Amino acid sequence: MDRLSASKALEAALERPSSTPCTWREDRDAYISECQAELRACQIDPVPVTAAAGTVAQQHFGYDGVVRKYFAIARSKETWLLYSPETKEFAKAFGTSPESLGLLGPSSPDALAEWLG
């Protein structure tokens, strides 16, 4: 996966309605636009990674520990947005390097909802 492919996948996801909640702001559309801009600013050149649900996600939320292949396409400090071209889904992961990422748990076609966790 190259940067153009990652950008196309991300933009396609951001064009669809997001399930991101926003009860704390009067203007949800403005909030969504701001968050989308922040996500775009965090986009990186895709990096192939493997990740599995972290311990908390496995023990408390029933996610399996299967290691899956992704591309990391955005990053802010220890927060990563992963994308699977096979499933066309995004997932949020945490870690200090691409070699040691733990998934928050869920994945979906909603890039913004996954990024915001």
Side-chain angles (χ1 to χ4, degrees):
M1 171 168 262
D2 60 18
R3 177 81 178 235
L4 181 60
S5 299
S7 292
K8 285 181 179 180
L10 180 60
E11 288 305 317
L14 295 178
E15 287 175 8
R16 295 188 293 270
S18 177
S19 63
T20 299
C22 179
T23 57
W24 52 91
R25 293 270 303 264
E26 193 169 303
D27 188 344
R28 181 180 186 275
D29 291 338
Y31 173 73
I32 295 296
S33 292
E34 291 165 12
C35 292
Q36 288 175 337
E38 290 171 11
L39 173 53
R40 286 180 181 108
C42 292
Q43 193 171 357
I44 61 173
D45 288 332
V47 177
V49 300
T50 56
T55 305
V56 172
Q58 290 181 47
Q59 291 178 349
H60 299 287
F61 301 105
Y63 291 100
D64 63 45
V66 175
V67 176
R68 292 180 173 84
K69 294 179 181 181
Y70 294 94
F71 285 93
I73 64 167
R75 180 181 184 190
S76 176
K77 298 179 185 171
E78 294 184 15
T79 301
W80 302 73
L81 181 66
L82 310 183
Y83 178 70
S84 169
E86 289 179 28
T87 64
K88 299 193 181 344
E89 291 193 334
F90 299 87
K92 184 174 188 169
F94 299 99
T96 56
S97 74
E99 292 82 29
S100 60
L101 297 178
L103 295 172
L104 176 62
S107 65
S108 77
D110 190 339
L112 187 61
E114 297 304 330
W115 177 248
L116 297 175

